[in-house]
Amino acid sequence: TAAARPPRNKPAKDCTICMEALSVSRAESVGRLTQCGHQYHLQCLVAMYNNGNKDGSLQFPTCKTIYGVKTGNQPPGKMEYHVIPHSLPGHPDCKTIRIIYNIPPGIQGPEHPNPGKPFTARGFPRHCYLPDSEKGRLVLRLLLVAWDRRLIFSVGTSSTTGESDTVIWNEVHHKTEFGSNLTGHGYPDPGHLDNVLEELRAQGIAEEECLRD
């Protein structure tokens, strides 16, 4: 005979935050998430939020679903862009979007690793490139949303130089080399735009953000 199915409203076996059982005796402290359907101890959700950025959002560790609007700790700066009349390798049928990021050095705020301590900003202004295609323009629009939400850069330790308390990229890859791909940070790279869209989606920024913002 087929095994009996558990009740549909029975909590999952373990809370994936604290890894303790979601027992029936603690059912009153268990909540179900509306988007992903996962269940957690409510006190674990509160603790996770209090230990995070406290920016009004939560990103859950197992499924990466974001609730609320995720914002980062990018220092103040300026983002500009314009179209230049040259083509990128692999995109011969369109012009090129050049993005210019400029962040000056400053003092870390309460959201940074060492509040009150200076941070450096190496290599600015930084020039980045996208093809001026339909998908390239979509990526640009989403990068503008990410910039407004302070998600393009962060303050931390550089993975290339080891310098701490400096402005670093924040998990959204950019192409900084124009006309070649000698460093791996240029074109051609057929999967780059799709990869960036996935990275932006992981930050809670998807195509519908263009309509919303």
Side-chain angles (χ1 to χ4, degrees):
T1 59
R5 293 182 179 179
R8 187 170 295 181
N9 59 356
K10 183 179 179 180
K13 184 177 180 181
D14 295 319
C15 169
T16 55
I17 298 175
C18 70
M19 304 309 294
E20 293 183 4
L22 293 168
S23 61
V24 175
S25 62
R26 298 183 64 182
E28 72 280 356
S29 66
V30 173
R32 180 187 296 274
L33 302 174
T34 56
Q35 293 183 49
C36 61
H38 287 122
Q39 292 176 284
Y40 298 87
H41 294 127
L42 294 180
Q43 56 265 43
C44 291
L45 298 182
V46 173
M48 187 170 70
Y49 179 80
N50 288 336
N51 289 327
N53 292 334
K54 301 184 183 70
D55 61 357
S57 73
L58 276 173
Q59 184 168 20
F60 289 88
T62 49
C63 60
K64 305 301 181 184
T65 301
I66 296 173
Y67 292 80
V69 176
K70 182 178 180 180
T71 57
N73 64 2
Q74 175 180 285
K78 191 174 185 180
M79 175 185 179
E80 299 177 292
Y81 65 92
H82 57 268
V83 175
I84 57 177
H86 304 286
S87 297
L88 291 164
H91 298 274
D93 55 342
C94 62
K95 298 178 183 179
T96 297
I97 300 167
R98 177 161 57 196
I99 303 170
I100 304 173
Y101 295 113
N102 204 356
I103 295 179
I107 303 298
Q108 295 181 56
E111 72 274 30
H112 294 134
N114 295 296
K117 185 177 179 181
F119 67 84
T120 59
R122 309 292 185 192
F124 288 95
R126 298 187 186 181
H127 291 205
C128 306
Y129 303 94
L130 292 168
D132 188 24
S133 60
E134 183 177 354
K135 187 175 287 188
R137 290 188 291 270
L138 170 62
V139 169
L140 173 64
R141 291 195 296 271
L142 296 178
L143 288 174
L144 288 166
V145 176
W147 174 266
D148 287 340
R149 295 184 186 174
R150 304 174 66 194
L151 292 168
I152 301 291
F153 296 96
S154 183
V155 173
T157 300
S158 170
S159 61
T160 54
T161 67
E163 182 181 9
S164 59
D165 301 304
T166 192
V167 178
I168 57 175
W169 292 105
N170 186 39
E171 299 180 11
V172 179
H173 286 85
H174 287 63
K175 294 296 188 180
T176 55
E177 184 180 352
F178 182 80
S180 62
N181 195 19
L182 299 176
T183 63
H185 301 296
Y187 296 88
D189 185 347
H192 173 63
L193 297 180
D194 288 330
N195 290 339
V196 174
L197 289 173
E198 281 299 314
E199 291 166 348
L200 288 165
R201 196 170 291 113
Q203 299 284 355
I205 301 172
E207 188 169 350
E208 53 267 24
E209 299 293 335
C210 292
L211 302 175
R212 188 182 310 161
D213 289 58

